[in-house]
Amino acid sequence: SRKAYGSGTQDQLSAMLHHQAQQLKPAFMKEVDSHFTEFVNSLVAKSALLDSSTSASHFPASGSEKEQHKAKTLRAPPEHGKIFTARRSLLDELFEVSHIRTIYHMFIALLIVFILSTLLVDFIDEGRLVLGFDLLVFVFGKFPVVFCTWLCMFCATVFVPYNLFIWWAQGHCSSSHRVLRSLFYGMLFTLFQTAGLGFGPTYIAVSYALPPASRFIVILEQVRLVMKAHSFVRENVPRVLSSVKDKSSTVPIPRISQYLYFLFAPTLIYRDNYPRNPMIRWGYVATKFAQVLGSLFYAYYIFVRLCIPQFRNSSQETFNLRGLVLCIFNSILPGVLILFLVFFAFLHCWLNAFAEMLRFADRMFYKDWWNSTSYANYYRTWNVVVHDWLYYYAYRDFLWFFGKKFKAAAMLSVFTVSAAVHEYVLSICFGYFYPVLFCLFMCFGMVFNFILNDRRKGPIWNVIMWTSLFLGQGVIICLYSQEWYARQYCPMENPTFLDYLKPRSWSCHMKM
């Protein structure tokens, strides 16, 4: 009996240990996976740093502390610059999982429902199928003016910054007035950025009364080219200054082909060379452009079915708080769908299509922003392309100029620049100044950036972030749409400059 008792006790102990091992297994595997992922990422970063050291390095190694100090005062160390490595976009990897691909199929099914709804309603109202796309034709109107404007902007960006840099670099070493000469060429470059690329396209968009989507093309290309030209000069000027200090016999001047590649490449950070893929998958390119076209029609049906009927009627009603609240909450669904479409169509499909055609191997245009538990992480991962530019040329340069003690001021300056540019784009494209997005950026965006910071972990913070994001999209769609229709219903015969700045939706509601 003792033997049987001992055997039973041993079985119970074995079962208990097995149960505890099963409980510890998920945590142990998660810990191992976390350490393995960190090890692999560190290995990839070190490998990329070794591979790109010749192209990313702006200062040669110096043995003396004095030379190292000079290099630090001229520019941040090269290891702080962005490292480009060959990697796929996150959605391309996720779509290989059948569960994630099903969510993509659900969005396609929703598009089919929107199309059927529009066709059936038009058939009931008109007695026939109406297949017109008047809204698309209107918003993308005057395309020849758009193309000519873009061509002029692009050609000017190709020749002016590149030639100004060459003339400055070639004569900088032998010049006896280097500071004055640098200031002169710097002023010419700034004049080109502000007047040539800044004022010119804006004047054409306004004077030719381009429709909204056509204005978006012109203004977004204007901003992109300004940022590209700045990056080219910002990355190459320190290399020339470093070669002069080291009394090098050669001046590092990029080839025009490298500059042209950069102007088309889906990045805003200049490098002489980028990691390249061995071949072009033209089927992949065609698929991405087809998805961009599908997203465009998706947005069309969202506006036709969810936005235009609501705002066309609400703009004729008397303003009240209840109507505003209902408008915001009714705008959440189209606002979130538009947010997803902008992300998918531009940050994934459009950039990946150009990256594939250029064999550009670094496809990290975004990260897993949907998993963010803080707005600080969301801002870093939503649009990596723009974030990199702001981080290296606005945030880090601010700290380099004023000192590392002013991190809060540097962050505030980056927020201000980003909010101002966003509001500038919307103001020019819509034809009126209504700083809703600017206020959301500078007020709620800044507050949430400090409240929902990187210390916030856990699912509840992700829920809070998504809730605030939904409400923000509802506010943006509601207020900008109301202002658009208010300016259609309550036009002014001889508007002054102040009339363009005052919201028309408030007074228009009161009159009606």
Side-chain angles (χ1 to χ4, degrees):
S1 63
R2 287 183 178 179
K3 186 177 182 180
Y5 177 76
S7 177
T9 305
Q10 187 176 6
D11 291 341
Q12 291 178 355
L13 183 60
S14 176
M16 188 187 312
L17 291 174
H18 180 73
H19 179 67
Q20 291 178 352
Q22 289 294 331
Q23 288 182 332
L24 292 174
K25 182 180 177 181
F28 175 74
M29 294 302 296
K30 185 177 181 180
E31 189 71 17
V32 171
D33 180 69
S34 175
H35 286 293
F36 180 74
T37 302
E38 291 179 2
F39 170 74
V40 171
N41 290 339
S42 175
L43 192 64
V44 170
K46 290 179 180 178
S47 174
L49 183 61
L50 289 174
D51 292 339
S52 60
S53 60
T54 55
S55 61
S57 179
H58 303 293
F59 297 103
S62 175
S64 64
E65 294 183 0
K66 186 176 180 181
E67 291 298 322
Q68 291 180 0
H69 176 71
K70 287 182 179 180
K72 289 181 180 179
T73 58
L74 184 64
R75 180 168 162 67
E79 61 267 21
H80 291 173
K82 179 178 174 62
I83 299 173
F84 290 90
T85 60
R87 48 195 164 185
R88 300 172 64 193
S89 285
L90 187 54
L91 282 186
D92 283 339
E93 296 179 348
L94 291 178
F95 282 154
E96 294 180 354
V97 181
S98 59
H99 304 291
I100 305 298
R101 200 162 56 244
T102 299
I103 300 177
Y104 171 68
H105 296 161
M106 292 166 61
F107 276 92
I108 296 177
L110 185 60
L111 173 60
I112 295 174
V113 170
F114 276 132
I115 295 174
L116 290 176
S117 172
T118 304
L119 292 178
L120 289 175
V121 170
D122 289 342
F123 182 78
I124 293 173
D125 293 341
E126 304 290 337
R128 59 185 179 86
L129 291 178
V130 180
L131 300 176
F133 296 98
D134 296 339
L135 180 62
L136 284 178
V137 174
F138 162 70
V139 296
F140 286 99
K142 300 183 179 180
F143 188 76
V145 178
V146 174
F147 178 76
C148 292
T149 305
W150 174 84
L151 189 61
C152 292
M153 283 193 299
F154 182 79
C155 292
T157 308
V158 170
F159 292 108
V160 177
Y162 185 77
N163 285 307
L164 284 177
F165 171 76
I166 287 181
W167 296 335
W168 170 81
Q170 289 177 342
H172 182 75
C173 182
S174 59
S175 175
S176 58
H177 303 283
R178 293 177 181 175
V179 175
L180 292 177
R181 194 170 183 277
S182 298
L183 287 175
F184 173 73
Y185 278 98
M187 290 177 59
L188 289 180
F189 177 71
T190 304
L191 182 64
F192 168 75
Q193 291 279 76
T194 54
L197 282 181
F199 177 75
T202 304
Y203 175 78
I204 292 176
V206 174
S207 62
Y208 280 84
L210 297 180
S214 297
R215 290 193 184 193
F216 266 109
I217 295 173
V218 172
I219 300 302
L220 290 179
E221 277 296 289
Q222 172 199 50
V223 174
R224 184 183 74 92
L225 293 175
V226 167
M227 297 169 77
K228 291 254 189 185
H230 177 85
S231 176
F232 174 76
V233 173
R234 177 65 180 83
E235 294 291 338
N236 285 288
V237 165
R239 297 167 61 186
V240 175
L241 296 178
S242 178
S243 67
V244 172
K245 284 182 178 293
D246 295 336
K247 298 180 180 179
S248 175
S249 59
T250 59
V251 179
I253 297 178
R255 299 189 305 272
I256 185 64
S257 59
Q258 293 173 323
Y259 180 52
L260 276 173
Y261 182 89
F262 167 64
L263 289 180
F264 283 105
T267 179
L268 297 173
I269 307 294
Y270 176 82
R271 294 290 183 269
D272 288 339
N273 298 290
Y274 299 94
R276 306 283 291 274
N277 288 332
M279 58 179 294
I280 301 175
R281 299 171 295 170
W282 289 108
Y284 180 86
V285 175
T287 300
K288 294 306 165 191
F289 279 128
Q291 289 173 335
V292 171
L293 189 62
S295 300
L296 185 63
F297 282 100
Y298 211 138
Y300 165 79
Y301 283 108
I302 288 173
F303 279 107
V304 168
R305 300 307 307 160
L306 300 179
C307 293
I308 293 178
Q310 172 188 350
F311 295 110
R312 180 180 289 166
N313 297 326
S314 65
S315 296
Q316 303 180 41
E317 299 174 359
T318 304
F319 176 79
N320 57 79
L321 183 60
R322 179 179 180 275
L324 178 63
V325 172
L326 287 177
C327 174
I328 291 174
F329 280 91
N330 290 336
S331 302
I332 288 178
L333 177 59
V336 171
L337 289 176
I338 294 298
L339 175 72
F340 290 158
L341 286 174
V342 169
F343 161 72
F344 180 73
F346 179 72
L347 291 176
H348 179 68
C349 297
W350 186 265
L351 295 184
N352 267 295
F354 274 88
E356 187 67 29
M357 289 189 293
L358 295 170
R359 297 191 291 117
F360 187 85
D362 194 340
R363 309 291 176 86
M364 196 182 70
F365 308 126
Y366 54 89
K367 298 179 183 177
D368 56 337
W369 58 270
W370 47 86
N371 292 328
S372 298
T373 56
S374 67
Y375 264 87
N377 186 67
Y378 170 74
Y379 292 140
R380 289 193 299 265
T381 55
W382 157 256
N383 187 344
V384 174
V385 179
V386 173
H387 171 265
D388 286 340
W389 193 94
L390 289 172
Y391 177 73
Y392 290 110
Y393 303 139
Y395 180 77
R396 278 196 170 275
D397 281 358
F398 187 97
L399 294 180
W400 167 74
F401 191 79
F402 292 101
K404 294 185 178 181
K405 296 184 295 184
F406 298 94
K407 289 186 176 181
M411 184 181 298
L412 179 62
S413 68
V414 171
F415 264 90
T416 304
V417 170
S418 180
V421 171
H422 279 80
E423 193 58 48
Y424 159 75
V425 171
L426 292 182
S427 298
I428 298 300
C429 295
F430 290 149
Y432 54 82
F433 178 73
Y434 198 23
V436 176
L437 188 61
F438 183 85
C439 294
L440 290 178
F441 249 102
M442 294 305 297
C443 298
F444 296 100
M446 283 292 294
V447 171
F448 284 142
N449 185 64
F450 288 104
I451 295 177
L452 299 181
N453 51 43
D454 289 331
R455 292 191 298 271
R456 310 298 186 184
K457 304 293 182 183
I460 185 63
W461 297 107
N462 184 251
V463 172
I464 294 174
M465 194 213 73
W466 273 109
T467 303
S468 59
L469 200 61
F470 284 176
L471 290 174
Q473 290 301 120
V475 170
I476 290 172
I477 293 293
C478 172
L479 296 185
Y480 277 109
S481 298
Q482 282 188 344
E483 183 67 18
W484 172 271
Y485 276 101
R487 291 180 178 270
Q488 307 299 317
Y489 287 120
C490 302
M492 291 188 175
E493 295 183 358
N494 298 310
T496 62
F497 179 73
L498 291 178
D499 292 328
Y500 287 104
L501 301 181
K502 292 188 298 185
R504 192 81 55 84
S505 54
W506 300 353
S507 59
C508 181
H509 281 297
M510 292 170 62
K511 290 179 181 178
M512 301 183 69

